[in-house]
Amino acid sequence: MTTEDHEGHAHAQGLWKLAVAAVGVVFGDIGTSPLYAFRETFDGHHPLALDTLHIMGVISLMFWSMMIVVTLKYVSVIMRADNKGEGGSLALLALISGRTAQKRWTRGIILLGVFATALFYGDSMITPAVSVLGAVEGLSVASPAFADWVIPLSVMILVGLFAIQRTGTARVGAFFGPVMLLYFLVIATLGVVSVFQTPQILAAFSPHYAVLFFVEDPLPAFLALGSVVLAVTGAEALYADMGHFGRNPIRVSWLFFVLPALMCNYMGQGALLIRDGMIALESPFYMLAPAALQLPLVGIATAAAIIASQAVISGAFSVTQQAIQLGFMPRLRIDHTSAATAGQIYIPLINWLLMTMVLLLVLTFRSSSNLTSAYGIAVTGAMLIDTCLLAVVLFVLWGWKKRYAIPLLAIFFVVDGAYFAANLTKVPDGGWFPLLVGLIVFILLTTWSKGRKLMMGRLRESAMPVKIFIESAANSASRVPGTAVFMTSTPEGVPHALLHNLKHNKVLHERVILLTVKISDSPFVSDRKRVQSEDLGKGFHRMVIRYGFMQDADVPAALKQVRSCGEPFKMMDTSFFLARQTLLPSAKPGMMVWREKIFAWMLRNAESAMEFFKLPTNRVVELGSQVEI
């Protein structure tokens, strides 16, 4: 074997290894949809007549939805729009806003992207509840005596799942791939066995059955879209998790394993309903299995539901970290659960808030069927927004010709718009929940972003020019040994902490660093571009440390690498000065009073800059300042 052959073989091995891992993490949400999606179409809030026309029509709609929404839109097109390897609404938003900062419509695009992120939090509350409930409900199918155990057991599983988050998922994650592989193999096998008994179901691959469904029953077909879309929930996870596995492993997993397994199972459920009708409608997923195998199937499906929930919870942590770094959220405590993998993080506040809301959903809705009425609207809303962002990418970033871009976008807008409109009919039955959560989160994100810009603007206005300060202070103040680092959010003017320190202590350190930490629109910033410094004279230096929005800000580690500001930094000889702002009511508020109060509350409860920037606790001095916004 030549060297080139060996390298190609190793690359292929790595690709398949990542593809298996992607099956375990990326496809948990869409993989557990067969638990409830097909049943809900016929037995949900808008039930359909159980006949061959409707069964074939629904199967056809599910298949072509997967082909258009997942395969064409996400796997083939949107996954090309990566921000240095990272995907997801916020990564795409950072990419677009970085390239279109001067455009008039940029603010509208940013608000759309932020709202998609806000909707994700609603989705991340519903997914664990509906997945675990849908799996555990198989107990009552296997034996009606277990019916009373469904809710308590679901609650116990979910509490346990959220409780282990603080220990990290690195060890558990090693089992995700094999478990999900087993799950997909089992559901595919059950589906194939059923299809062999009723092979006429294979004709549903033809799109004419979906068209015939709409021609014969237009309104029921439109309303059915609200349940059919449950088959593609989780499609956005392919894009969001691209940074963990890469584009090609996710594509391989979807095209060669997940898509065939899902379609085998949906076809099998359709064939079962054609054969057994209403008898199988209680749970076509579990009734595909012989009675003796239903309890083991409950165990496998529950494991898959836990994995799907884990992926969404981890996604909520990751999105929150990105939102903090990009300036849409205040600093929160972030714990790293793996020394080897930077992306494995735990955010206590988000974890316990999610757990509380998930348990409330389970105890309020009490069945996966009721929860599916709340499910879908957040996902379809986010998908529709992704299409809007894609339009900007095609025309502005990639420069596609209109004759190619417009027909493609028209297909996506029609499909996403139809699904979103169908899900709007579910608002009174529970769809209001993710919309309410999304609205609240959207208000919090935009309030923090605007309040932070207003506060930085006020600080910049009142800041003394550095040159004037250095000339006057350097000649009058006493100098003491050591280094003082004054953290400031604006790289212009004199930090308020420096003015307060000089006013009260009347001394300056021999070396004074005016330090600003900036978060880039890129997910990662290389070490050689990390630090930029400028010598201001008389022992003063202006320094900017840059990080990507997927990286942690470790200021002491960055300072130890600096060699352009005199002697190397020694933490025992360095003091860090921080300013803690207190907001005051303004005669001309920059935003509405109620939003000012929300911003002030968020500012008070933000994580200390000392912990967020990993500053040594015994070398930090905090000085208060007051700001009007």
Side-chain angles (χ1 to χ4, degrees), residues 196-211:
F196 266 113
Q197 296 175 56
T198 314
Q200 72 187 78
I201 194 70
L202 292 171
F205 279 123
S206 170
H208 95 272
Y209 279 102
V211 175

Side-chain angles (χ1 to χ4, degrees), residues 408-463:
L408 187 68
L409 289 170
I411 294 171
F412 295 157
F413 273 117
V414 167
V415 172
D416 290 338
Y419 278 132
F420 184 67
N423 272 278
L424 285 176
T425 64
K426 299 197 288 188
V427 169
D429 298 317
W432 55 268
F433 175 79
L435 289 179
L436 179 63
V437 170
L439 182 62
I440 292 170
V441 174
F442 179 74
I443 289 170
L444 292 174
L445 295 178
T446 52
T447 297
W448 178 258
S449 177
K450 186 173 182 182
R452 190 167 162 269
K453 285 175 183 173
L454 287 170
M455 189 173 73
M456 288 172 68
R458 296 289 188 270
L459 290 172
R460 200 178 287 115
E461 287 171 10
S462 60

Side-chain angles (χ1 to χ4, degrees), residues 108-188:
I109 290 293
I110 289 173
L111 290 178
L112 271 180
V114 172
F115 192 61
T117 303
L119 286 173
F120 171 80
Y121 284 98
D123 183 31
S124 64
M125 293 170 188
I126 298 173
T127 297
V130 74
S131 299
V132 171
L133 260 179
V136 178
E137 282 169 352
L139 286 173
S140 60
V141 177
S143 172
F146 289 126
D148 292 338
W149 284 89
V150 171
I151 299 293
L153 191 57
S154 298
V155 168
M156 286 170 59
I157 290 170
L158 288 165
V159 169
L161 177 63
F162 282 99
I164 65 166
Q165 295 303 313
R166 59 189 175 85
T167 62
T169 57
R171 291 178 184 174
V172 184
F175 297 101
F176 283 6
V179 170
M180 289 305 294
L181 280 173
L182 175 64
Y183 168 79
F184 281 120
L185 282 170
V186 168
I187 67 170

Side-chain angles (χ1 to χ4, degrees), residues 109 122 145 189 193 382 430 546 549 621:
I109 290 293
T189 303
V193 170
R546 286 183 168 81
F549 61 78
V621 179

Side-chain angles (χ1 to χ4, degrees), residues 15-35:
L15 175 66
W16 285 103
K17 189 175 179 181
L18 282 170
V20 171
V23 169
V25 176
V26 178
F27 297 102
D29 191 353
I30 198 169
T32 52
S33 294
L35 288 165

Side-chain angles (χ1 to χ4, degrees), residues 285-366:
F285 176 83
Y286 282 110
M287 289 188 174
L288 279 176
L293 297 179
Q294 283 176 354
L295 273 179
L297 182 58
V298 171
I300 295 171
T302 301
I306 291 170
I307 291 168
S309 304
Q310 175 61 58
V312 171
I313 296 165
S314 300
F317 294 156
S318 180
V319 166
T320 301
Q321 184 188 36
Q322 290 183 38
I324 292 168
Q325 299 286 54
L326 291 170
F328 290 109
M329 270 193 192
R331 293 185 297 264
L332 298 175
R333 178 182 156 197
I334 299 176
D335 297 335
H336 288 263
T337 58
S338 170
T341 309
Q344 291 196 6
I345 58 173
Y346 167 67
I347 304 178
L349 178 66
I350 299 299
N351 187 61
W352 301 123
L353 279 176
L354 273 183
M355 188 188 81
T356 303
M357 298 307 295
V358 168
L359 294 180
L360 280 173
L361 283 169
V362 170
L363 296 172
T364 303
F365 286 86
R366 303 192 69 81

Side-chain angles (χ1 to χ4, degrees), residues 73-90:
K73 179 181 166 184
Y74 280 98
V75 172
S76 301
V77 181
I78 288 189
M79 283 178 67
R80 295 174 184 270
D82 64 299
N83 191 337
K84 294 189 177 177
E86 291 296 324
S89 295
L90 278 178

